[in-house]
Amino acid sequence: QVQLVESGGSVVQAGGSLRLSCAASGRPFSTYAMGWFRQAPGKEREFVATILWSSGSTDYTDSVKGRFTISRDNFKYTVYLQMNSLKPEDTAVYFCAAGARRHTGSYYSTAAYDYWGQGTQVTVSS
């Protein structure tokens, strides 16, 4: 019954900015971490950013460090991805994900997450 709904995807010119949002709905669930992944055509889904819900600790893939910022609203169970200085190579479907329990492995892995959103398209034009 848990549903994650992303919004904010759009077409933007290179160098521009977008903010993606992901809100949880449905039955209450324990949230340990939330993250963002992206998938470009012909490529596998890759890790973008993660945030631990309690502490707010964040981590990013190297290609977006310094450009993207993940944040959360504990009261709304909403996670955001602020994307600045966008590049054409950022073009992908972006998915948000939620992990309901502590994962012993890396939060870079899709295995750490239990729920996924439907994805939102981000297109960065040259």
Side-chain angles (χ1 to χ4, degrees), residues 68-88:
F68 291 12
T69 303
I70 187 171
S71 60
R72 86 281 193 256
D73 184 330
N74 282 346
F75 299 102
K76 296 181 178 180
Y77 281 86
T78 301
V79 65
Y80 306 93
L81 186 68
Q82 178 67 45
M83 305 184 294
N84 298 325
S85 301
L86 283 162
K87 304 175 181 179

Side-chain angles (χ1 to χ4, degrees), residues 47-104:
F47 167 78
V48 177
T50 189
I51 185 167
L52 299 183
W53 207 251
S54 180
S55 67
S57 179
T58 62
D59 202 5
Y60 304 87
T61 192
D62 286 343
S63 63
V64 308
K65 286 181 178 178
R67 299 189 297 120
F68 291 12
T69 303
I70 187 171
S71 60
R72 86 281 193 256
D73 184 330
N74 282 346
F75 299 102
K76 296 181 178 180
Y77 281 86
T78 301
V79 65
Y80 306 93
L81 186 68
Q82 178 67 45
M83 305 184 294
N84 298 325
S85 301
L86 283 162
K87 304 175 181 179
E89 49 263 46
D90 295 317
T91 296
V93 177
Y94 283 70
F95 300 87
C96 68
R101 63 180 65 187
R102 184 179 182 271
H103 184 59
T104 57

